[in-house]
Amino acid sequence: MKRLIVLVAIIASLALVVGCDEGISFSVTDIEGNWNFPDQGGYTEITAYVLTDATGADIGWEEGTYSYWCWGGGTYADGMITGMYDYNRVDSSPADDDASGLNLPITITFTLDNSKLSISCSGSGPLNGKTFTQGVFQPI
């Protein structure tokens, strides 16, 4: 009986290990470069440029009369950049409500599924809570 219990425990442990997610399924070189995203969630003209070794990213989009451009850097690990960013917001309306910000904290999480990039941001400022999906790589 003890052998049967030990055998069941070993099989259950192996099944658990085999079924566990081993982390990200892409390399950092897979996400480097220019990406264009389709319009989504009221945002248009969405672009992202992921720096070599994913040590930073530039992200831009339009939302109504506002055009945003965010750039920054940090450290990359396990599909995420954690660091700081700056931004400019340009308002094309008669109100001309331009704005900018410096040294805002951000974490950007990348996922790559069927060669489509998704980015999800959390931190402060205009990138906080933004998620853009279905990004298509733009070769130079």
Side-chain angles (χ1 to χ4, degrees):
M1 183 67 167
K2 286 183 182 181
R3 286 184 182 178
L4 180 60
I5 292 172
V6 171
L7 181 60
V8 169
I10 290 172
I11 291 173
S13 297
L14 285 174
L16 183 62
V17 169
V18 170
C20 288
D21 184 10
E22 294 183 20
I24 61 172
S25 61
F26 57 89
S27 74
V28 68
T29 58
D30 293 332
I31 62 172
E32 294 172 348
N34 291 309
W35 297 84
N36 288 343
F37 294 79
D39 296 350
Q40 53 198 275
Y43 308 118
T44 61
E45 304 296 323
I46 306 162
T47 62
Y49 176 74
V50 181
L51 301 174
T52 302
D53 296 330
T55 55
D58 301 340
I59 301 171
W61 72 94
E62 293 184 5
E63 179 181 357
T65 62
Y66 295 123
S67 295
Y68 289 89
W69 192 249
C70 305
W71 65 96
T75 56
Y76 176 84
D78 300 323
M80 293 189 306
I81 296 174
T82 302
M84 306 295 276
Y85 79 102
D86 303 335
Y87 79 92
N88 283 333
R89 181 186 76 195
V90 176
D91 183 5
S92 63
S93 77
D96 193 26
D97 186 23
D98 295 349
S100 63
L102 299 173
N103 297 319
L104 301 171
I106 195 71
T107 297
I108 303 171
T109 303
F110 300 95
T111 55
L112 194 61
D113 187 25
N114 292 324
S115 300
K116 303 281 182 151
L117 183 68
S118 294
I119 56 177
S120 182
C121 306
S122 63
S124 295
L127 276 177
N128 183 43
K130 296 291 185 289
T131 296
F132 302 119
T133 61
Q134 299 296 308
V136 177
F137 182 73
Q138 303 298 305
I140 295 176

